[in-house]
Amino acid sequence: MAGAIIENMSTKKLCIVGGILLVFQVIAFLVGGLIAPSPTTAVPYVSVKCIDIRKNHHKTKWLTPWGPNHCEKIKDFDEAMSRQIEANDIVFAVHVPLPNKEMSPWFQFMLFIMQLDIAFKMDNDLKENAEITLDVSLAYRDDMFDDWEEIAHAIEIRKLKCTFGSPKTLESEGRHYDCDFLPFMEIGSVAHKYYLINIRLPVNERKGINVGIGEIKDIRLVGIHQNGGFTKVWFAMKTFLTPSVLIIMVWYWRRIMLMTRAPVLLEKVIFALGISMTFINIPVEWFSIGFDWTWMLLFGDIRQGIFYAMLLSFWIIFCGEHMMDQNERNRLSGYWKQVGPIAVGSFCLFIFDMCERGVQLKNPFYSIWTTEVGTELAMAFIIVAGICLCLYFLFLCFMVFQVFRNISGKQSSLPAMSKARRLHYEGLIFRFKFLMLITLTCAAMTVIFFIVSQVTEGHWKWGDITIQANSAFFTGIYGMWNLYVFALMFLYAPSHKNYGEDQSNGDLGVNSGEELQLTTTITHVDGPTEVYKLARKDAQE
């Protein structure tokens, strides 16, 4: 009678927990799909050709395309030639944002890509493997009548990759090349209202600078920034999830500390996974609204890298700790072959990120992909990280195969075991299959929603309802991995309740001739886990 009551309570508890997690998962997707706008906005800019006349009496080096004290403009280079204006005196000016608008700290970052309009001309053809040298400057101000303050200045070189679809004859003069977009600038904060970009194309025929780059008609930029509405929803989610995961993490560790034994490896790894998730959740981004913290993008990459490294390590150790008859367990050193590729791959990606976004903290115009050495170095880091990832998944697939093969062997011999040993293996099998199902579901949803967000237009319309698919992907997947960590700590926390006489020493088989291997946390007589309690109903039937 008592066993039936316990079974009903366990089943009810599992259903309640699963239902609550499912509700929160649906809410996470709906928050992004129905409340948040699109994550980012792309704004096209066309540069204005200004004349730099500082040699005579110009008061400032900053040339503004419109507004107070705007520069003297020319329409095209034909006008410049007719007025005998040299190429070195022409500045391409871009004001961010467009007229009658302001930038906001809620935009979080700015990413710019460049497109060159290059016309074909017989006497000024575009050479193969041509390189363009850019003298670029970035400034800001918070009032339309303030002076511009410099943020960065650099001399950058970009490789031109262009094709021409027509024969290069006199009849084709004036037609434009089809050129790839070029990386231009990335800045990790939007702390000011107005930004100004000045681009010069210095020409030096003796040194071969900007020679053989064709006839440049215009410079176009596309600015990408995060939407303020999405930022507010994202901050709200992080603010809500931080105490939620932190509370379950404290509760989980307190349960372990109440045990008379020391924490085992799997419990430590789950706790470390909770710490890494909390590290991502802590909404330090709130400070970026009031402070010019350009390092937030790099900091975000580091936080995500730590979490993913811990998640991959957890999967390996979880499988290893469920090798039911394996002796080398409960020691991190026993997993060095599997965890090693994770460490090497993570280190390579960290170095790559430091070489890209780390340098951009000082020079926002820098890109590691603009030089041959930088490209080869970046590709080397990415290839090594890819090899490490492949090795990791080979190890993981092999370990999962071993565990399932072990499970098949144990299931066939369960009826012949004593009740205590049968409960031991029933619990191991149940929790392994249960977590594998959750893990595969989370991984599949991540991949599916990522693909859907890439191939769709970014939003779906159902009647009068518009669903932002990309926003739903970000909020839903972010919420899903938080719930995954939450469920892990809840289901694997040791219990301190006594569930009947069948858990006594006598029934555990200690006095019998059969040895019981207490190799995982759920079999310890000092308290089974929540999963073990839920699994016992199957064994008791």
mmCIF file of all heavy atoms in Angstrom, residues 78 117-125 164 166-178 214-217:
data_model
loop_
_atom_site.group_PDB
_atom_site.id
_atom_site.type_symbol
_atom_site.label_atom_id
_atom_site.label_comp_id
_atom_site.label_asym_id
_atom_site.label_seq_id
_atom_site.Cartn_x
_atom_site.Cartn_y
_atom_site.Cartn_z
ATOM 1 N N ASP A 78 34.080 63.568 -61.857
ATOM 2 C CA ASP A 78 34.185 64.419 -63.056
ATOM 3 C C ASP A 78 34.173 65.890 -62.654
ATOM 4 O O ASP A 78 34.924 66.710 -63.210
ATOM 5 C CB ASP A 78 33.030 64.115 -64.013
ATOM 6 C CG ASP A 78 33.136 62.734 -64.628
ATOM 7 O OD1 ASP A 78 34.278 62.238 -64.710
ATOM 8 O OD2 ASP A 78 32.097 62.158 -65.000
ATOM 9 N N ASP A 117 31.414 51.024 -55.222
ATOM 10 C CA ASP A 117 30.902 51.120 -56.591
ATOM 11 C C ASP A 117 32.068 51.485 -57.489
ATOM 12 O O ASP A 117 32.529 52.639 -57.512
ATOM 13 C CB ASP A 117 29.807 52.180 -56.686
ATOM 14 C CG ASP A 117 28.536 51.766 -55.948
ATOM 15 O OD1 ASP A 117 28.413 50.570 -55.625
ATOM 16 O OD2 ASP A 117 27.687 52.636 -55.691
ATOM 17 N N ILE A 118 32.576 50.507 -58.251
ATOM 18 C CA ILE A 118 33.749 50.701 -59.106
ATOM 19 C C ILE A 118 33.329 50.544 -60.556
ATOM 20 O O ILE A 118 32.757 49.516 -60.945
ATOM 21 C CB ILE A 118 34.865 49.696 -58.760
ATOM 22 C CG1 ILE A 118 35.251 49.810 -57.275
ATOM 23 C CG2 ILE A 118 36.083 49.923 -59.650
ATOM 24 C CD1 ILE A 118 36.302 48.814 -56.841
ATOM 25 N N ALA A 119 33.581 51.560 -61.331
ATOM 26 C CA ALA A 119 33.219 51.546 -62.749
ATOM 27 C C ALA A 119 34.422 51.133 -63.593
ATOM 28 O O ALA A 119 35.578 51.426 -63.256
ATOM 29 C CB ALA A 119 32.712 52.921 -63.188
ATOM 30 N N PHE A 120 34.140 50.434 -64.684
ATOM 31 C CA PHE A 120 35.200 50.032 -65.615
ATOM 32 C C PHE A 120 35.584 51.186 -66.526
ATOM 33 O O PHE A 120 34.727 51.897 -67.049
ATOM 34 C CB PHE A 120 34.736 48.847 -66.461
ATOM 35 C CG PHE A 120 35.642 48.535 -67.603
ATOM 36 C CD1 PHE A 120 36.907 47.991 -67.392
ATOM 37 C CD2 PHE A 120 35.250 48.809 -68.917
ATOM 38 C CE1 PHE A 120 37.756 47.718 -68.448
ATOM 39 C CE2 PHE A 120 36.084 48.537 -69.973
ATOM 40 C CZ PHE A 120 37.339 47.985 -69.744
ATOM 41 N N LYS A 121 36.888 51.368 -66.693
ATOM 42 C CA LYS A 121 37.411 52.393 -67.586
ATOM 43 C C LYS A 121 38.677 51.852 -68.236
ATOM 44 O O LYS A 121 39.530 51.272 -67.544
ATOM 45 C CB LYS A 121 37.698 53.686 -66.813
ATOM 46 C CG LYS A 121 37.657 54.930 -67.666
ATOM 47 C CD LYS A 121 37.647 56.188 -66.809
ATOM 48 C CE LYS A 121 37.509 57.417 -67.702
ATOM 49 N NZ LYS A 121 37.493 58.663 -66.899
ATOM 50 N N MET A 122 38.790 52.029 -69.515
ATOM 51 C CA MET A 122 39.901 51.430 -70.251
ATOM 52 C C MET A 122 41.253 51.903 -69.735
ATOM 53 O O MET A 122 42.207 51.120 -69.623
ATOM 54 C CB MET A 122 39.771 51.752 -71.744
ATOM 55 C CG MET A 122 38.608 51.057 -72.439
ATOM 56 S SD MET A 122 38.801 49.266 -72.552
ATOM 57 C CE MET A 122 40.168 49.140 -73.692
ATOM 58 N N ASP A 123 41.367 53.198 -69.420
ATOM 59 C CA ASP A 123 42.650 53.738 -68.993
ATOM 60 C C ASP A 123 42.846 53.670 -67.468
ATOM 61 O O ASP A 123 43.836 54.176 -66.946
ATOM 62 C CB ASP A 123 42.817 55.181 -69.471
ATOM 63 C CG ASP A 123 41.705 56.090 -68.954
ATOM 64 O OD1 ASP A 123 40.750 55.565 -68.339
ATOM 65 O OD2 ASP A 123 41.796 57.314 -69.170
ATOM 66 N N ASN A 124 41.895 53.069 -66.765
ATOM 67 C CA ASN A 124 42.019 52.932 -65.296
ATOM 68 C C ASN A 124 41.352 51.628 -64.873
ATOM 69 O O ASN A 124 40.377 51.618 -64.124
ATOM 70 C CB ASN A 124 41.380 54.130 -64.597
ATOM 71 C CG ASN A 124 41.664 54.125 -63.091
ATOM 72 O OD1 ASN A 124 42.538 53.409 -62.603
ATOM 73 N ND2 ASN A 124 40.919 54.936 -62.354
ATOM 74 N N ASP A 125 41.925 50.527 -65.375
ATOM 75 C CA ASP A 125 41.319 49.220 -65.126
ATOM 76 C C ASP A 125 41.655 48.726 -63.724
ATOM 77 O O ASP A 125 42.645 49.152 -63.108
ATOM 78 C CB ASP A 125 41.824 48.224 -66.176
ATOM 79 C CG ASP A 125 41.031 46.925 -66.146
ATOM 80 O OD1 ASP A 125 39.957 46.914 -65.510
ATOM 81 O OD2 ASP A 125 41.488 45.933 -66.745
ATOM 82 N N PHE A 164 33.784 41.128 -63.482
ATOM 83 C CA PHE A 164 33.167 41.982 -64.509
ATOM 84 C C PHE A 164 32.500 41.068 -65.528
ATOM 85 O O PHE A 164 33.160 40.249 -66.172
ATOM 86 C CB PHE A 164 34.224 42.868 -65.163
ATOM 87 C CG PHE A 164 33.658 43.989 -65.979
ATOM 88 C CD1 PHE A 164 32.988 45.040 -65.367
ATOM 89 C CD2 PHE A 164 33.770 43.980 -67.366
ATOM 90 C CE1 PHE A 164 32.452 46.081 -66.118
ATOM 91 C CE2 PHE A 164 33.232 45.019 -68.118
ATOM 92 C CZ PHE A 164 32.579 46.068 -67.493
ATOM 93 N N SER A 166 31.033 41.598 -68.389
ATOM 94 C CA SER A 166 31.010 41.967 -69.814
ATOM 95 C C SER A 166 32.437 42.027 -70.352
ATOM 96 O O SER A 166 33.398 42.144 -69.584
ATOM 97 C CB SER A 166 30.324 43.323 -70.010
ATOM 98 O OG SER A 166 29.003 43.302 -69.502
ATOM 99 N N PRO A 167 32.595 41.952 -71.655
ATOM 100 C CA PRO A 167 33.941 42.125 -72.240
ATOM 101 C C PRO A 167 34.486 43.523 -71.931
ATOM 102 O O PRO A 167 33.731 44.500 -71.945
ATOM 103 C CB PRO A 167 33.702 41.936 -73.744
ATOM 104 C CG PRO A 167 32.403 41.204 -73.848
ATOM 105 C CD PRO A 167 31.577 41.642 -72.686
ATOM 106 N N LYS A 168 35.751 43.612 -71.658
ATOM 107 C CA LYS A 168 36.355 44.896 -71.320
ATOM 108 C C LYS A 168 36.706 45.645 -72.597
ATOM 109 O O LYS A 168 37.856 45.676 -73.056
ATOM 110 C CB LYS A 168 37.598 44.684 -70.445
ATOM 111 C CG LYS A 168 37.270 44.137 -69.060
ATOM 112 C CD LYS A 168 38.488 44.040 -68.167
ATOM 113 C CE LYS A 168 38.115 43.574 -66.773
ATOM 114 N NZ LYS A 168 39.274 43.505 -65.851
ATOM 115 N N THR A 169 35.687 46.276 -73.161
ATOM 116 C CA THR A 169 35.827 47.060 -74.394
ATOM 117 C C THR A 169 35.326 48.486 -74.142
ATOM 118 O O THR A 169 34.800 48.789 -73.065
ATOM 119 C CB THR A 169 35.016 46.422 -75.534
ATOM 120 O OG1 THR A 169 33.626 46.367 -75.159
ATOM 121 C CG2 THR A 169 35.512 44.996 -75.816
ATOM 122 N N LEU A 170 35.476 49.323 -75.152
ATOM 123 C CA LEU A 170 35.017 50.708 -75.014
ATOM 124 C C LEU A 170 33.515 50.777 -74.755
ATOM 125 O O LEU A 170 33.041 51.668 -74.042
ATOM 126 C CB LEU A 170 35.364 51.506 -76.281
ATOM 127 C CG LEU A 170 36.839 51.908 -76.454
ATOM 128 C CD1 LEU A 170 37.062 52.545 -77.818
ATOM 129 C CD2 LEU A 170 37.242 52.873 -75.327
ATOM 130 N N GLU A 171 32.769 49.829 -75.342
ATOM 131 C CA GLU A 171 31.328 49.842 -75.139
ATOM 132 C C GLU A 171 30.945 49.544 -73.691
ATOM 133 O O GLU A 171 29.848 49.900 -73.248
ATOM 134 C CB GLU A 171 30.656 48.818 -76.064
ATOM 135 C CG GLU A 171 30.688 49.168 -77.538
ATOM 136 C CD GLU A 171 32.045 48.928 -78.167
ATOM 137 O OE1 GLU A 171 32.894 48.270 -77.516
ATOM 138 O OE2 GLU A 171 32.283 49.424 -79.295
ATOM 139 N N SER A 172 31.832 48.901 -72.949
ATOM 140 C CA SER A 172 31.535 48.510 -71.564
ATOM 141 C C SER A 172 31.958 49.567 -70.554
ATOM 142 O O SER A 172 31.749 49.376 -69.347
ATOM 143 C CB SER A 172 32.232 47.180 -71.230
ATOM 144 O OG SER A 172 31.760 46.140 -72.062
ATOM 145 N N GLU A 173 32.576 50.652 -71.022
ATOM 146 C CA GLU A 173 33.002 51.679 -70.076
ATOM 147 C C GLU A 173 31.805 52.283 -69.335
ATOM 148 O O GLU A 173 30.763 52.552 -69.925
ATOM 149 C CB GLU A 173 33.772 52.786 -70.799
ATOM 150 C CG GLU A 173 35.202 52.435 -71.105
ATOM 151 C CD GLU A 173 36.038 53.673 -71.412
ATOM 152 O OE1 GLU A 173 35.452 54.754 -71.612
ATOM 153 O OE2 GLU A 173 37.284 53.560 -71.436
ATOM 154 N N GLY A 174 31.985 52.461 -68.038
ATOM 155 C CA GLY A 174 30.915 53.000 -67.203
ATOM 156 C C GLY A 174 30.135 51.938 -66.458
ATOM 157 O O GLY A 174 29.441 52.251 -65.471
ATOM 158 N N ARG A 175 30.215 50.685 -66.935
ATOM 159 C CA ARG A 175 29.545 49.606 -66.212
ATOM 160 C C ARG A 175 30.311 49.281 -64.925
ATOM 161 O O ARG A 175 31.534 49.412 -64.868
ATOM 162 C CB ARG A 175 29.428 48.360 -67.082
ATOM 163 C CG ARG A 175 28.532 48.554 -68.302
ATOM 164 C CD ARG A 175 28.396 47.259 -69.088
ATOM 165 N NE ARG A 175 27.541 47.451 -70.258
ATOM 166 C CZ ARG A 175 27.262 46.483 -71.141
ATOM 167 N NH1 ARG A 175 27.771 45.263 -70.968
ATOM 168 N NH2 ARG A 175 26.476 46.741 -72.180
ATOM 169 N N HIS A 176 29.566 48.820 -63.923
ATOM 170 C CA HIS A 176 30.179 48.591 -62.620
ATOM 171 C C HIS A 176 30.633 47.141 -62.445
ATOM 172 O O HIS A 176 29.998 46.213 -62.949
ATOM 173 C CB HIS A 176 29.184 48.952 -61.512
ATOM 174 C CG HIS A 176 29.016 50.428 -61.329
ATOM 175 N ND1 HIS A 176 28.489 50.990 -60.192
ATOM 176 C CD2 HIS A 176 29.320 51.482 -62.140
ATOM 177 C CE1 HIS A 176 28.462 52.306 -60.302
ATOM 178 N NE2 HIS A 176 28.960 52.621 -61.488
ATOM 179 N N TYR A 177 31.713 47.007 -61.717
ATOM 180 C CA TYR A 177 32.164 45.683 -61.289
ATOM 181 C C TYR A 177 31.216 45.139 -60.219
ATOM 182 O O TYR A 177 30.540 45.898 -59.513
ATOM 183 C CB TYR A 177 33.575 45.761 -60.701
ATOM 184 C CG TYR A 177 34.683 45.963 -61.712
ATOM 185 C CD1 TYR A 177 35.057 47.244 -62.113
ATOM 186 C CD2 TYR A 177 35.366 44.885 -62.239
ATOM 187 C CE1 TYR A 177 36.082 47.440 -63.026
ATOM 188 C CE2 TYR A 177 36.399 45.066 -63.157
ATOM 189 C CZ TYR A 177 36.747 46.345 -63.538
ATOM 190 O OH TYR A 177 37.756 46.525 -64.446
ATOM 191 N N ASP A 178 31.175 43.834 -60.120
ATOM 192 C CA ASP A 178 30.433 43.172 -59.034
ATOM 193 C C ASP A 178 31.447 42.805 -57.952
ATOM 194 O O ASP A 178 32.193 41.835 -58.102
ATOM 195 C CB ASP A 178 29.719 41.927 -59.560
ATOM 196 C CG ASP A 178 28.877 41.243 -58.494
ATOM 197 O OD1 ASP A 178 28.638 41.869 -57.438
ATOM 198 O OD2 ASP A 178 28.467 40.081 -58.712
ATOM 199 N N GLY A 214 40.700 50.848 -60.208
ATOM 200 C CA GLY A 214 39.534 51.227 -60.980
ATOM 201 C C GLY A 214 39.049 52.624 -60.634
ATOM 202 O O GLY A 214 39.661 53.341 -59.844
ATOM 203 N N GLU A 215 37.924 52.983 -61.220
ATOM 204 C CA GLU A 215 37.338 54.298 -60.978
ATOM 205 C C GLU A 215 36.228 54.167 -59.941
ATOM 206 O O GLU A 215 35.143 53.658 -60.234
ATOM 207 C CB GLU A 215 36.785 54.889 -62.271
ATOM 208 C CG GLU A 215 36.266 56.309 -62.089
ATOM 209 C CD GLU A 215 35.826 56.947 -63.390
ATOM 210 O OE1 GLU A 215 36.222 56.437 -64.460
ATOM 211 O OE2 GLU A 215 35.088 57.942 -63.342
ATOM 212 N N ILE A 216 36.524 54.606 -58.729
ATOM 213 C CA ILE A 216 35.567 54.472 -57.632
ATOM 214 C C ILE A 216 34.532 55.590 -57.729
ATOM 215 O O ILE A 216 34.862 56.774 -57.667
ATOM 216 C CB ILE A 216 36.292 54.510 -56.274
ATOM 217 C CG1 ILE A 216 37.215 53.295 -56.149
ATOM 218 C CG2 ILE A 216 35.270 54.524 -55.132
ATOM 219 C CD1 ILE A 216 37.990 53.231 -54.858
ATOM 220 N N LYS A 217 33.278 55.188 -57.864
ATOM 221 C CA LYS A 217 32.185 56.154 -57.990
ATOM 222 C C LYS A 217 31.597 56.518 -56.629
ATOM 223 O O LYS A 217 31.314 57.684 -56.364
ATOM 224 C CB LYS A 217 31.080 55.564 -58.884
ATOM 225 C CG LYS A 217 31.490 55.379 -60.339
ATOM 226 C CD LYS A 217 31.723 56.718 -61.009
ATOM 227 C CE LYS A 217 31.956 56.552 -62.502
ATOM 228 N NZ LYS A 217 32.176 57.854 -63.183
#
